[in-house]
Amino acid sequence: MPLPPLSVLDLAPIPEGGTPRDALDRSRDLARHAEQLGYRRFWLAEHHNMTGIASAATALVIGHVAAGTQRIRVGAGGIMLPNHAPLTIAEQFGTLATLYPGRIDLGLGRAPGTDGATLRALRRDYGAAETFPQDVLEVQALLDDPKPGQAVRAVPGAGTKVPLWILGSSLFGAELAAMLGLPYAFASHFAPDALLPALETYRARFRPSAQLAEPYAIVGINVVAAESEAEARRLFTTPQQAFTNLVRGTRGLLPAPIDDIEGYWTLPEKRQASRMLARSLVGTAGTIRAGLEALAAETGADEVIVASAIHDHAARLRSYAILAEAHGGLGDGSGAIEATHRTAA
């Protein structure tokens, strides 16, 4: 059975011993690598006030990556819309689409992506999430062809029709994506519990739209691949430490791998972090292939987007190469733009 296409989700992680500039340059290098391997798209995510993530100014980082690549689609996975005025996002992504036509995606999420103090620093309020559906429609209208007498236009932006995606980790996003007829991406790489019910809801309630005739769902997973099972498990201690730190409420740079993860976390921390990381494939090409086949059979995913929080940049590049080898059907990426437009544009 053919496996679904693969894409990359990158947080521009800042590793221990590195700088934000290192992280941003590594993201662009990873995007070039993914393009050569045939991955379909390269998404970056908005996070604020996190010392280990360099993608806070997400639209700027997307431009940095798009400028260093030629074919691969680049976009947001996603923009946390409650943090922004819809017009600002339409202008930013309209500008990106003008500079890199046919290559920009705009994934929109409802969560703030930060804490309360940072939310206030962003000049937003908790109630902004309540208007998320209306704000999505406003962004969509601003990127569509302008209407006669329209008082406010996104310039650039109007007429670019940047493809919108709804992101989610619960049934709310699935229901909204279905109602609006938009493609849907589920964040099962860190919140796997509602994955299957959300996909079922999305597909059952989907209404065709001008953008999308049939439901199209992306499933997020973590992948750490290496030449040996032991090395893959060692590399995986980096995200295990990072998720343990989230459980502890601490923030920091992306940690280097360690030899004994059991000495790092307590049993309750292990249970919670492991639950968040449940949708992870770790091992050699054979192990990864088997995991992809099982995931495709279980979820019916139209596409799989992969996060790989690996400390060493060379090891991260190698992991994505092994994943492409395990997949066996990515090609050279030359058909990525056309294929994406057929399914979700």
Side-chain angles (χ1 to χ4, degrees), residues 75-99:
I79 291 294
M80 301 299 105
L81 196 50
N83 297 339
H84 309 277
L87 176 60
T88 300
I89 296 305
E91 290 171 340
Q92 289 176 0
F93 281 79
T95 300
L96 288 167
T98 300
L99 292 170

Side-chain angles (χ1 to χ4, degrees), residues 7 28 30-43 65-75 99-105 330-341:
S7 294
R28 185 153 81 166
L30 176 60
R32 289 173 176 152
H33 183 64
E35 181 174 74
Q36 292 170 353
L37 291 169
Y39 285 82
R40 175 163 289 184
R41 66 187 88 241
F42 189 96
W43 279 2
V65 169
T69 53
Q70 297 179 340
R71 301 182 308 273
I72 194 169
R73 294 189 69 87
V74 186
L99 292 170
Y100 310 103
R103 295 181 55 206
I104 301 300
D105 296 326
L330 293 186
D332 64 358
S334 60
I337 294 176
E338 180 184 357
T340 304
H341 279 293

